[in-house]
Amino acid sequence: MTPSRPMRADARRNRARILAAAEEVFAERGAAASTEEVASRAGVAIGTVFRHFPTKRDLLAAIMKLLRRRLVDRADALIADGDPATAFFDYFTYLVESSAEIGTVVGALAEEGTAVEPGEQIKALTQAFGALLAAAQEAGAVRPDARLDEVMALVTATAHGALAAGWSADLRRRTLGLVLDGLRPR
Amino acid sequence: MTPSRPMRADARRNRARILAAAEEVFAERGAAASTEEVASRAGVAIGTVFRHFPTKRDLLAAIMKLLRRRLVDRADALIADGDPATAFFDYFTYLVESSAEIGTVVGALAEEGTAVEPGEQIKALTQAFGALLAAAQEAGAVRPDARLDEVMALVTATAHGALAAGWSADLRRRTLGLVLDGLRPR
Amino acid sequence: MTPSRPMRADARRNRARILAAAEEVFAERGAAASTEEVASRAGVAIGTVFRHFPTKRDLLAAIMKLLRRRLVDRADALIADGDPATAFFDYFTYLVESSAEIGTVVGALAEEGTAVEPGEQIKALTQAFGALLAAAQEAGAVRPDARLDEVMALVTATAHGALAAGWSADLRRRTLGLVLDGLRPR
Amino acid sequence: MTPSRPMRADARRNRARILAAAEEVFAERGAAASTEEVASRAGVAIGTVFRHFPTKRDLLAAIMKLLRRRLVDRADALIADGDPATAFFDYFTYLVESSAEIGTVVGALAEEGTAVEPGEQIKALTQAFGALLAAAQEAGAVRPDARLDEVMALVTATAHGALAAGWSADLRRRTLGLVLDGLRPR
DNA sequence: AATGAATGAGCATTCATTCAT
DNA sequence: GATGAATGAATGCTCATTCAT
């Protein structure tokens, strides 16, 4: 309950390094990669990793939070930017293209049995995506009966698919085209 | 070579039990589940599992083969059955609905680095699906420019998505609706 | 105590095959080779091996017995043959040259903790070698103070050394020369 | 590379304990003894053994290095000491007497197929022994035509023999006498 | 706070041996 | 007697997590 004094400077630096290393390592090696590997890539000792993230789960969750924030930021930028019709499709495409980063982590957590709490971050993402969707529907670029949860499901699916199956860039573009066509008004 | 006389009755029974148990266990716990768990669920000793499948990989691969055969059989049944327009969409839906079974295993193998030989089984599946697609396009039920690889990609994606994200039955149905709409002629 | 009826013909044939296979396998792969390998090389099922030799130990012991008999036979032949001076040295050399066969088995048994009972066979070998030694000493070809147990020890040592260290044929010949020189009268 | 600061005190203590335990265990039980046994005899957990020696092979190799160093040290001491004639024979005897320690390990490694790199250690040993031999020959205590490799072979053989066959102290002394006689000038 | 050594449960795999067929 | 499937203890090794330094 005490506000717990602000982190020491080196501690904060280490936390960041660890997160960066973890992102790299898990993206490369899958979630089976060892925490030790993360530590050494971050240039810290294993104990330091566990001081910051008491559990491997916690580390994975933290990465996810990070990724989500990035995604949300991008959505906000697109919303602020302009043309609603383009924005929605651009964002959808962007999400699928970032899949590799996200996918591994999501998969890893799913595999462990306990999915991470959908928490605030995902709410924020959903909200941002919702805004883009509404705007696009308003502009008549997306069929009006498409609901937000369906659209979210669709991105997730396409992203996972692209990742797990290792589609070529070409195949990804074409498949994405089909998916997006399903969202356009007839 | 040696004609290798037909498996003894108890051996065949055990092999089947192990496969069934493995399917269950891996679907529930992910591919990280232990072989020991499979053995005990199958009611055999650990050595028996390894006698039938010398490697965990082999066990996983065997499950996959089994699943694929089921999928192909179903496709063949639908092809033989009649109405091409319905058949294609039914099969697509069926595949997504079986996703839980397939997904884990596929994912597990992909994660290990060495995917199982795409070999005959997947060729057979692609072929069967191709026949359904062609018939549906012929019947004017599917847009003529949709290519087989895109359609395969789409099923995979939807199936994985449904699996990993744990969609509700309702959400799955609605999302599937959107996907299939993208495949219909405009 | 009942004389236990004479072995069935096929049983005797199998016993022989197994022994032959075991000799091969253990010579090639060392004593760590699996009993299963022996069985398959002999063309019988694993159960058959264990029916004839209830324990891996027993199998190894049986091989040893076989080898010893061969060695004794050779000694007897040399004794009967003639020139005592040559005979002793020839036999010594012969033993070292057969080392590969013997060594593995002996080593294997030693490794297991319990050496095989020296039993009758080894007594027979010692006796045969003793005869050769005595004759050679009589003939003045070997120093009269060399005792039988020392000579036995010497062969064993040289044989093991040649085996374990993988001496070249040339090195073996030269080293053997030194050893034998130690046995000659000065 | 990295200067890699000097091992922590407890780590060094454990490393030493493990090596000592391993020497004991492998000498008693042969190389088939389990790593677990080594761990428990050393009073550490199994993980600690593997942290220090990532592979059983590595552990075996480390023991060998240790033994070799001891042998070389002894040789150096004898060289420095004085009387060349005695030194050579003393060292030969010493080597045979240490055989139990060495033999098991050497044998174990040989059996595994990959002998440890003959590398520096064995070169050092050969060299030290070579110096003793040369000095002894110079002093007229050893026949001048005896070559270093033959002499090495002879020690190896005698050591192995003494070890594997479990000679009594008396028999070892007498046999050694015969061997050494073969090396004296006539 | 950081370090990195120690822990020990867990895992895939092997193999001598037993026993139903 | 022969077969070969089943057993299960044992082994080498990994890795998340703890804790003394």
Side-chain angles (χ1 to χ4, degrees), chain C residues 94-112:
Chain C
Y94 165 73
L95 286 179
V96 171
E97 248 135 37
S98 321
S99 60
E101 282 182 289
I102 312 165
T104 323
V105 181
V106 174
L109 290 169
E111 200 140 293
E112 288 229 346

PDB file of all heavy atoms in Angstrom, chain C residues 94-112:
ATOM      1  N   TYR C  94      49.692 -66.298 -29.575  1.00  0.00           N
ATOM      2  CA  TYR C  94      48.325 -66.614 -30.002  1.00  0.00           C
ATOM      3  C   TYR C  94      47.303 -66.024 -29.040  1.00  0.00           C
ATOM      4  O   TYR C  94      46.302 -65.423 -29.444  1.00  0.00           O
ATOM      5  CB  TYR C  94      48.157 -68.141 -30.103  1.00  0.00           C
ATOM      6  CG  TYR C  94      46.715 -68.584 -30.192  1.00  0.00           C
ATOM      7  CD1 TYR C  94      45.982 -68.381 -31.372  1.00  0.00           C
ATOM      8  CD2 TYR C  94      46.082 -69.211 -29.119  1.00  0.00           C
ATOM      9  CE1 TYR C  94      44.672 -68.790 -31.460  1.00  0.00           C
ATOM     10  CE2 TYR C  94      44.776 -69.623 -29.203  1.00  0.00           C
ATOM     11  CZ  TYR C  94      44.067 -69.410 -30.376  1.00  0.00           C
ATOM     12  OH  TYR C  94      42.757 -69.810 -30.456  1.00  0.00           O
ATOM     13  N   LEU C  95      47.565 -66.174 -27.759  1.00  0.00           N
ATOM     14  CA  LEU C  95      46.629 -65.660 -26.760  1.00  0.00           C
ATOM     15  C   LEU C  95      46.478 -64.147 -26.883  1.00  0.00           C
ATOM     16  O   LEU C  95      45.369 -63.613 -26.854  1.00  0.00           O
ATOM     17  CB  LEU C  95      47.104 -66.013 -25.344  1.00  0.00           C
ATOM     18  CG  LEU C  95      46.924 -67.473 -24.950  1.00  0.00           C
ATOM     19  CD1 LEU C  95      47.463 -67.702 -23.532  1.00  0.00           C
ATOM     20  CD2 LEU C  95      45.455 -67.886 -25.005  1.00  0.00           C
ATOM     21  N   VAL C  96      47.597 -63.491 -27.029  1.00  0.00           N
ATOM     22  CA  VAL C  96      47.525 -62.032 -27.151  1.00  0.00           C
ATOM     23  C   VAL C  96      46.751 -61.647 -28.402  1.00  0.00           C
ATOM     24  O   VAL C  96      45.971 -60.695 -28.401  1.00  0.00           O
ATOM     25  CB  VAL C  96      48.933 -61.426 -27.172  1.00  0.00           C
ATOM     26  CG1 VAL C  96      48.865 -59.936 -27.510  1.00  0.00           C
ATOM     27  CG2 VAL C  96      49.604 -61.628 -25.831  1.00  0.00           C
ATOM     28  N   GLU C  97      46.970 -62.414 -29.441  1.00  0.00           N
ATOM     29  CA  GLU C  97      46.280 -62.074 -30.682  1.00  0.00           C
ATOM     30  C   GLU C  97      44.768 -62.334 -30.628  1.00  0.00           C
ATOM     31  O   GLU C  97      43.997 -61.730 -31.365  1.00  0.00           O
ATOM     32  CB  GLU C  97      46.904 -62.821 -31.865  1.00  0.00           C
ATOM     33  CG  GLU C  97      47.623 -61.854 -32.800  1.00  0.00           C
ATOM     34  CD  GLU C  97      48.994 -62.368 -33.220  1.00  0.00           C
ATOM     35  OE1 GLU C  97      49.163 -63.580 -33.429  1.00  0.00           O
ATOM     36  OE2 GLU C  97      49.925 -61.535 -33.338  1.00  0.00           O
ATOM     37  N   SER C  98      44.351 -63.229 -29.772  1.00  0.00           N
ATOM     38  CA  SER C  98      42.907 -63.471 -29.628  1.00  0.00           C
ATOM     39  C   SER C  98      42.285 -62.501 -28.640  1.00  0.00           C
ATOM     40  O   SER C  98      41.098 -62.587 -28.341  1.00  0.00           O
ATOM     41  CB  SER C  98      42.646 -64.882 -29.095  1.00  0.00           C
ATOM     42  OG  SER C  98      43.534 -65.807 -29.651  1.00  0.00           O
ATOM     43  N   SER C  99      43.093 -61.597 -28.175  1.00  0.00           N
ATOM     44  CA  SER C  99      42.639 -60.773 -27.061  1.00  0.00           C
ATOM     45  C   SER C  99      41.309 -60.076 -27.305  1.00  0.00           C
ATOM     46  O   SER C  99      40.470 -59.995 -26.405  1.00  0.00           O
ATOM     47  CB  SER C  99      43.687 -59.728 -26.729  1.00  0.00           C
ATOM     48  OG  SER C  99      43.897 -58.904 -27.853  1.00  0.00           O
ATOM     49  N   ALA C 100      41.121 -59.598 -28.518  1.00  0.00           N
ATOM     50  CA  ALA C 100      39.905 -58.827 -28.762  1.00  0.00           C
ATOM     51  C   ALA C 100      38.683 -59.626 -28.351  1.00  0.00           C
ATOM     52  O   ALA C 100      37.806 -59.147 -27.649  1.00  0.00           O
ATOM     53  CB  ALA C 100      39.819 -58.433 -30.225  1.00  0.00           C
ATOM     54  N   GLU C 101      38.667 -60.872 -28.773  1.00  0.00           N
ATOM     55  CA  GLU C 101      37.528 -61.727 -28.454  1.00  0.00           C
ATOM     56  C   GLU C 101      37.303 -61.843 -26.961  1.00  0.00           C
ATOM     57  O   GLU C 101      36.210 -61.649 -26.447  1.00  0.00           O
ATOM     58  CB  GLU C 101      37.750 -63.134 -29.020  1.00  0.00           C
ATOM     59  CG  GLU C 101      37.504 -63.254 -30.500  1.00  0.00           C
ATOM     60  CD  GLU C 101      37.696 -64.704 -30.933  1.00  0.00           C
ATOM     61  OE1 GLU C 101      38.859 -65.175 -30.945  1.00  0.00           O
ATOM     62  OE2 GLU C 101      36.688 -65.370 -31.218  1.00  0.00           O
ATOM     63  N   ILE C 102      38.377 -62.172 -26.279  1.00  0.00           N
ATOM     64  CA  ILE C 102      38.267 -62.413 -24.853  1.00  0.00           C
ATOM     65  C   ILE C 102      38.006 -61.145 -24.067  1.00  0.00           C
ATOM     66  O   ILE C 102      37.089 -61.053 -23.267  1.00  0.00           O
ATOM     67  CB  ILE C 102      39.578 -63.010 -24.302  1.00  0.00           C
ATOM     68  CG1 ILE C 102      40.035 -64.160 -25.197  1.00  0.00           C
ATOM     69  CG2 ILE C 102      39.398 -63.466 -22.876  1.00  0.00           C
ATOM     70  CD1 ILE C 102      41.477 -64.536 -24.941  1.00  0.00           C
ATOM     71  N   GLY C 103      38.847 -60.196 -24.364  1.00  0.00           N
ATOM     72  CA  GLY C 103      38.868 -58.977 -23.579  1.00  0.00           C
ATOM     73  C   GLY C 103      37.507 -58.389 -23.290  1.00  0.00           C
ATOM     74  O   GLY C 103      37.182 -58.104 -22.147  1.00  0.00           O
ATOM     75  N   THR C 104      36.728 -58.194 -24.326  1.00  0.00           N
ATOM     76  CA  THR C 104      35.446 -57.547 -24.141  1.00  0.00           C
ATOM     77  C   THR C 104      34.636 -58.274 -23.093  1.00  0.00           C
ATOM     78  O   THR C 104      34.072 -57.661 -22.190  1.00  0.00           O
ATOM     79  CB  THR C 104      34.644 -57.579 -25.448  1.00  0.00           C
ATOM     80  OG1 THR C 104      35.539 -57.389 -26.525  1.00  0.00           O
ATOM     81  CG2 THR C 104      33.608 -56.491 -25.432  1.00  0.00           C
ATOM     82  N   VAL C 105      34.574 -59.545 -23.245  1.00  0.00           N
ATOM     83  CA  VAL C 105      33.752 -60.329 -22.345  1.00  0.00           C
ATOM     84  C   VAL C 105      34.270 -60.235 -20.918  1.00  0.00           C
ATOM     85  O   VAL C 105      33.535 -59.934 -19.977  1.00  0.00           O
ATOM     86  CB  VAL C 105      33.709 -61.793 -22.795  1.00  0.00           C
ATOM     87  CG1 VAL C 105      32.839 -62.596 -21.858  1.00  0.00           C
ATOM     88  CG2 VAL C 105      33.186 -61.868 -24.207  1.00  0.00           C
ATOM     89  N   VAL C 106      35.548 -60.471 -20.767  1.00  0.00           N
ATOM     90  CA  VAL C 106      36.126 -60.384 -19.432  1.00  0.00           C
ATOM     91  C   VAL C 106      35.838 -59.019 -18.827  1.00  0.00           C
ATOM     92  O   VAL C 106      35.326 -58.886 -17.721  1.00  0.00           O
ATOM     93  CB  VAL C 106      37.652 -60.578 -19.487  1.00  0.00           C
ATOM     94  CG1 VAL C 106      38.253 -60.333 -18.112  1.00  0.00           C
ATOM     95  CG2 VAL C 106      37.972 -61.975 -19.959  1.00  0.00           C
ATOM     96  N   GLY C 107      36.118 -58.008 -19.622  1.00  0.00           N
ATOM     97  CA  GLY C 107      35.912 -56.646 -19.154  1.00  0.00           C
ATOM     98  C   GLY C 107      34.475 -56.429 -18.741  1.00  0.00           C
ATOM     99  O   GLY C 107      34.187 -55.879 -17.681  1.00  0.00           O
ATOM    100  N   ALA C 108      33.586 -56.901 -19.571  1.00  0.00           N
ATOM    101  CA  ALA C 108      32.169 -56.736 -19.306  1.00  0.00           C
ATOM    102  C   ALA C 108      31.815 -57.328 -17.957  1.00  0.00           C
ATOM    103  O   ALA C 108      31.146 -56.715 -17.136  1.00  0.00           O
ATOM    104  CB  ALA C 108      31.355 -57.403 -20.389  1.00  0.00           C
ATOM    105  N   LEU C 109      32.286 -58.497 -17.726  1.00  0.00           N
ATOM    106  CA  LEU C 109      31.956 -59.175 -16.480  1.00  0.00           C
ATOM    107  C   LEU C 109      32.593 -58.465 -15.294  1.00  0.00           C
ATOM    108  O   LEU C 109      31.960 -58.278 -14.259  1.00  0.00           O
ATOM    109  CB  LEU C 109      32.407 -60.622 -16.549  1.00  0.00           C
ATOM    110  CG  LEU C 109      31.557 -61.446 -17.517  1.00  0.00           C
ATOM    111  CD1 LEU C 109      32.193 -62.800 -17.770  1.00  0.00           C
ATOM    112  CD2 LEU C 109      30.157 -61.632 -16.958  1.00  0.00           C
ATOM    113  N   ALA C 110      33.807 -58.050 -15.480  1.00  0.00           N
ATOM    114  CA  ALA C 110      34.497 -57.343 -14.409  1.00  0.00           C
ATOM    115  C   ALA C 110      33.714 -56.097 -14.038  1.00  0.00           C
ATOM    116  O   ALA C 110      33.481 -55.800 -12.870  1.00  0.00           O
ATOM    117  CB  ALA C 110      35.893 -56.955 -14.857  1.00  0.00           C
ATOM    118  N   GLU C 111      33.278 -55.400 -15.062  1.00  0.00           N
ATOM    119  CA  GLU C 111      32.562 -54.152 -14.867  1.00  0.00           C
ATOM    120  C   GLU C 111      31.299 -54.349 -14.034  1.00  0.00           C
ATOM    121  O   GLU C 111      30.912 -53.482 -13.260  1.00  0.00           O
ATOM    122  CB  GLU C 111      32.181 -53.594 -16.228  1.00  0.00           C
ATOM    123  CG  GLU C 111      31.872 -52.132 -16.188  1.00  0.00           C
ATOM    124  CD  GLU C 111      32.449 -51.467 -17.424  1.00  0.00           C
ATOM    125  OE1 GLU C 111      33.692 -51.404 -17.549  1.00  0.00           O
ATOM    126  OE2 GLU C 111      31.663 -51.048 -18.256  1.00  0.00           O
ATOM    127  N   GLU C 112      30.700 -55.458 -14.217  1.00  0.00           N
ATOM    128  CA  GLU C 112      29.455 -55.733 -13.506  1.00  0.00           C
ATOM    129  C   GLU C 112      29.675 -55.955 -12.017  1.00  0.00           C
ATOM    130  O   GLU C 112      28.737 -56.098 -11.249  1.00  0.00           O
ATOM    131  CB  GLU C 112      28.779 -56.971 -14.087  1.00  0.00           C
ATOM    132  CG  GLU C 112      28.176 -56.734 -15.437  1.00  0.00           C
ATOM    133  CD  GLU C 112      26.754 -57.261 -15.471  1.00  0.00           C
ATOM    134  OE1 GLU C 112      26.386 -58.015 -14.547  1.00  0.00           O
ATOM    135  OE2 GLU C 112      26.017 -56.910 -16.388  1.00  0.00           O
TER     136      GLU C 112
END
